Amino acid sequence: MEVIRKNILRIHGTFLVIVGIAMTVMVTVGRKQGIGIFKFLQENQLASIGFFEAFLLVSDLGLFLLNASTQENVRKYNLLAALIHVVLASTNIIFWKFYEMVDGVIPGTIATIAHFALIAVESWAGLKN
């Protein structure tokens, strides 16, 4: 089971590094050129700071999970990853009006479903004997 837990962390970590960097680029393009799903950031430059930081932190979290996958007894890291996604999924639900406001219901739905899927997978890995 430990090998499965480590593989889940590796896959999850790799995914987060890629998504974090891609989203950081998309935030930058939206802020600078006013195109893409973050085009609204051209008019709300203060918000672009938060998005930029948040997505770089996503990449950092991915690097953390990749490193954690090399440790022994990684259950706690699976549970930590699940807990982080509980926070993110909850935030998406609480602030759903934002997705509606920026015509981002489809990306918001995909992100929220992804968070719940990762909660399920990481919780299973962390709680399974």
Short mmCIF file of all heavy atoms in Angstrom, two decimals, residues 55-83:
data_model
loop_
_atom_site.label_atom_id
_atom_site.label_comp_id
_atom_site.label_asym_id
_atom_site.label_seq_id
_atom_site.Cartn_x
_atom_site.Cartn_y
_atom_site.Cartn_z
N PHE A 55 -1.05 30.71 -7.29
CA PHE A 55 -0.68 29.66 -8.24
C PHE A 55 0.79 29.26 -8.11
O PHE A 55 1.14 28.10 -8.34
CB PHE A 55 -1.06 30.06 -9.66
CG PHE A 55 -2.55 30.02 -9.89
CD1 PHE A 55 -3.22 31.12 -10.38
CD2 PHE A 55 -3.29 28.89 -9.58
CE1 PHE A 55 -4.58 31.10 -10.58
CE2 PHE A 55 -4.66 28.84 -9.77
CZ PHE A 55 -5.31 29.95 -10.27
N LEU A 56 1.64 30.19 -7.73
CA LEU A 56 3.03 29.78 -7.45
C LEU A 56 3.10 28.91 -6.20
O LEU A 56 3.90 27.97 -6.12
CB LEU A 56 3.94 31.00 -7.33
CG LEU A 56 4.26 31.70 -8.65
CD1 LEU A 56 5.12 32.93 -8.41
CD2 LEU A 56 4.94 30.76 -9.64
N LEU A 57 2.23 29.20 -5.22
CA LEU A 57 2.16 28.33 -4.04
C LEU A 57 1.64 26.94 -4.40
O LEU A 57 2.05 25.95 -3.79
CB LEU A 57 1.30 28.97 -2.95
CG LEU A 57 1.95 30.13 -2.22
CD1 LEU A 57 0.94 30.85 -1.32
CD2 LEU A 57 3.15 29.66 -1.41
N VAL A 58 0.77 26.85 -5.39
CA VAL A 58 0.31 25.55 -5.87
C VAL A 58 1.52 24.75 -6.38
O VAL A 58 1.67 23.56 -6.08
CB VAL A 58 -0.77 25.71 -6.97
CG1 VAL A 58 -1.00 24.41 -7.73
CG2 VAL A 58 -2.07 26.22 -6.37
N SER A 59 2.38 25.42 -7.15
CA SER A 59 3.60 24.75 -7.63
C SER A 59 4.49 24.33 -6.47
O SER A 59 5.05 23.23 -6.48
CB SER A 59 4.39 25.66 -8.57
OG SER A 59 3.69 25.82 -9.77
N ASP A 60 4.61 25.19 -5.48
CA ASP A 60 5.40 24.85 -4.30
C ASP A 60 4.82 23.63 -3.58
O ASP A 60 5.56 22.75 -3.14
CB ASP A 60 5.47 26.02 -3.32
CG ASP A 60 6.29 27.17 -3.83
OD1 ASP A 60 7.05 26.99 -4.81
OD2 ASP A 60 6.18 28.27 -3.25
N LEU A 61 3.50 23.60 -3.46
CA LEU A 61 2.85 22.44 -2.84
C LEU A 61 3.14 21.17 -3.64
O LEU A 61 3.41 20.11 -3.07
CB LEU A 61 1.35 22.65 -2.72
CG LEU A 61 0.56 21.48 -2.16
CD1 LEU A 61 1.01 21.12 -0.75
CD2 LEU A 61 -0.93 21.78 -2.19
N GLY A 62 3.12 21.29 -4.96
CA GLY A 62 3.46 20.14 -5.80
C GLY A 62 4.87 19.65 -5.54
O GLY A 62 5.11 18.44 -5.43
N LEU A 63 5.81 20.58 -5.42
CA LEU A 63 7.19 20.20 -5.11
C LEU A 63 7.28 19.54 -3.74
O LEU A 63 8.01 18.56 -3.55
CB LEU A 63 8.11 21.42 -5.18
CG LEU A 63 8.30 22.02 -6.57
CD1 LEU A 63 9.09 23.33 -6.47
CD2 LEU A 63 8.99 21.04 -7.51
N PHE A 64 6.51 20.05 -2.78
CA PHE A 64 6.47 19.46 -1.45
C PHE A 64 5.96 18.02 -1.53
O PHE A 64 6.54 17.10 -0.91
CB PHE A 64 5.58 20.30 -0.52
CG PHE A 64 5.36 19.66 0.81
CD1 PHE A 64 6.32 19.77 1.81
CD2 PHE A 64 4.20 18.94 1.07
CE1 PHE A 64 6.12 19.17 3.05
CE2 PHE A 64 4.01 18.34 2.30
CZ PHE A 64 4.96 18.45 3.29
N LEU A 65 4.87 17.79 -2.28
CA LEU A 65 4.33 16.43 -2.39
C LEU A 65 5.30 15.50 -3.10
O LEU A 65 5.42 14.32 -2.73
CB LEU A 65 2.97 16.44 -3.09
CG LEU A 65 1.83 17.15 -2.36
CD1 LEU A 65 0.54 17.07 -3.17
CD2 LEU A 65 1.63 16.60 -0.96
N LEU A 66 5.99 16.01 -4.11
CA LEU A 66 7.00 15.19 -4.78
C LEU A 66 8.10 14.79 -3.81
O LEU A 66 8.53 13.63 -3.78
CB LEU A 66 7.59 15.94 -5.98
CG LEU A 66 6.70 16.03 -7.21
CD1 LEU A 66 7.27 17.01 -8.21
CD2 LEU A 66 6.51 14.66 -7.83
N ASN A 67 8.54 15.72 -3.00
CA ASN A 67 9.56 15.41 -2.00
C ASN A 67 9.00 14.44 -0.96
O ASN A 67 9.68 13.49 -0.55
CB ASN A 67 10.06 16.69 -1.33
CG ASN A 67 11.16 16.40 -0.33
OD1 ASN A 67 12.15 15.77 -0.65
ND2 ASN A 67 10.98 16.87 0.88
N ALA A 68 7.78 14.68 -0.52
CA ALA A 68 7.15 13.80 0.49
C ALA A 68 7.05 12.37 -0.02
O ALA A 68 7.16 11.42 0.76
CB ALA A 68 5.78 14.33 0.87
N SER A 69 6.86 12.20 -1.32
CA SER A 69 6.71 10.86 -1.88
C SER A 69 7.98 10.02 -1.75
O SER A 69 7.95 8.81 -1.94
CB SER A 69 6.28 10.93 -3.35
OG SER A 69 7.34 11.36 -4.17
N THR A 70 9.09 10.66 -1.40
CA THR A 70 10.35 9.93 -1.24
C THR A 70 10.58 9.51 0.21
O THR A 70 11.56 8.83 0.51
CB THR A 70 11.55 10.78 -1.70
OG1 THR A 70 11.70 11.90 -0.83
CG2 THR A 70 11.37 11.25 -3.13
N GLN A 71 9.71 9.94 1.10
CA GLN A 71 9.87 9.65 2.53
C GLN A 71 9.23 8.29 2.87
O GLN A 71 8.57 7.68 2.04
CB GLN A 71 9.19 10.75 3.37
CG GLN A 71 9.62 12.16 3.02
CD GLN A 71 11.10 12.40 3.19
OE1 GLN A 71 11.66 12.09 4.22
NE2 GLN A 71 11.74 12.95 2.17
N GLU A 72 9.41 7.87 4.10
CA GLU A 72 8.75 6.67 4.59
C GLU A 72 7.47 7.09 5.31
O GLU A 72 7.36 8.21 5.80
CB GLU A 72 9.68 5.91 5.56
CG GLU A 72 10.92 5.37 4.89
CD GLU A 72 10.61 4.42 3.74
OE1 GLU A 72 9.71 3.58 3.87
OE2 GLU A 72 11.28 4.54 2.69
N ASN A 73 6.50 6.18 5.36
CA ASN A 73 5.24 6.42 6.07
C ASN A 73 4.58 7.72 5.61
O ASN A 73 4.47 8.69 6.36
CB ASN A 73 5.46 6.45 7.60
CG ASN A 73 6.12 5.18 8.09
OD1 ASN A 73 5.73 4.08 7.72
ND2 ASN A 73 7.14 5.33 8.92
N VAL A 74 4.13 7.73 4.36
CA VAL A 74 3.63 8.97 3.75
C VAL A 74 2.14 9.22 4.01
O VAL A 74 1.61 10.20 3.51
CB VAL A 74 3.91 8.99 2.23
CG1 VAL A 74 5.40 8.95 1.96
CG2 VAL A 74 3.18 7.87 1.52
N ARG A 75 1.48 8.38 4.77
CA ARG A 75 0.05 8.57 5.02
C ARG A 75 -0.29 9.99 5.44
O ARG A 75 -1.28 10.56 4.99
CB ARG A 75 -0.44 7.62 6.11
CG ARG A 75 -0.42 6.17 5.72
CD ARG A 75 -0.76 5.34 6.91
NE ARG A 75 -2.22 5.23 6.96
CZ ARG A 75 -2.85 4.31 7.62
NH1 ARG A 75 -2.19 3.42 8.33
NH2 ARG A 75 -4.14 4.25 7.61
N LYS A 76 0.50 10.55 6.32
CA LYS A 76 0.22 11.90 6.82
C LYS A 76 0.25 12.92 5.69
O LYS A 76 -0.48 13.91 5.71
CB LYS A 76 1.19 12.28 7.93
CG LYS A 76 2.64 12.30 7.51
CD LYS A 76 3.57 12.50 8.69
CE LYS A 76 4.99 12.24 8.24
NZ LYS A 76 5.77 11.60 9.25
N TYR A 77 1.09 12.69 4.69
CA TYR A 77 1.16 13.61 3.56
C TYR A 77 -0.06 13.46 2.66
O TYR A 77 -0.55 14.45 2.11
CB TYR A 77 2.45 13.42 2.77
CG TYR A 77 3.67 13.67 3.62
CD1 TYR A 77 4.57 12.65 3.90
CD2 TYR A 77 3.91 14.93 4.17
CE1 TYR A 77 5.69 12.89 4.68
CE2 TYR A 77 5.03 15.16 4.96
CZ TYR A 77 5.91 14.15 5.21
OH TYR A 77 7.01 14.38 6.00
N ASN A 78 -0.56 12.24 2.52
CA ASN A 78 -1.80 12.05 1.78
C ASN A 78 -2.94 12.79 2.48
O ASN A 78 -3.76 13.46 1.82
CB ASN A 78 -2.16 10.56 1.66
CG ASN A 78 -1.18 9.77 0.85
OD1 ASN A 78 -0.50 8.90 1.38
ND2 ASN A 78 -1.08 10.05 -0.44
N LEU A 79 -2.99 12.68 3.79
CA LEU A 79 -4.06 13.34 4.54
C LEU A 79 -3.90 14.86 4.49
O LEU A 79 -4.90 15.59 4.39
CB LEU A 79 -4.09 12.84 5.98
CG LEU A 79 -4.51 11.37 6.12
CD1 LEU A 79 -4.36 10.90 7.57
CD2 LEU A 79 -5.94 11.16 5.63
N LEU A 80 -2.68 15.36 4.53
CA LEU A 80 -2.45 16.80 4.40
C LEU A 80 -2.93 17.28 3.04
O LEU A 80 -3.59 18.33 2.93
CB LEU A 80 -0.98 17.13 4.60
CG LEU A 80 -0.59 18.59 4.39
CD1 LEU A 80 -1.30 19.49 5.40
CD2 LEU A 80 0.92 18.75 4.48
N ALA A 81 -2.61 16.54 1.99
CA ALA A 81 -3.05 16.91 0.64
C ALA A 81 -4.58 16.93 0.57
O ALA A 81 -5.17 17.84 -0.02
CB ALA A 81 -2.46 15.95 -0.40
N ALA A 82 -5.23 15.94 1.18
CA ALA A 82 -6.70 15.91 1.19
C ALA A 82 -7.25 17.13 1.91
O ALA A 82 -8.19 17.78 1.43
CB ALA A 82 -7.19 14.63 1.85
N LEU A 83 -6.66 17.47 3.04
CA LEU A 83 -7.13 18.62 3.82
C LEU A 83 -7.00 19.92 3.04
O LEU A 83 -7.89 20.78 3.06
CB LEU A 83 -6.36 18.71 5.14
CG LEU A 83 -6.72 19.89 6.04
CD1 LEU A 83 -8.19 19.81 6.46
CD2 LEU A 83 -5.81 19.90 7.26
#
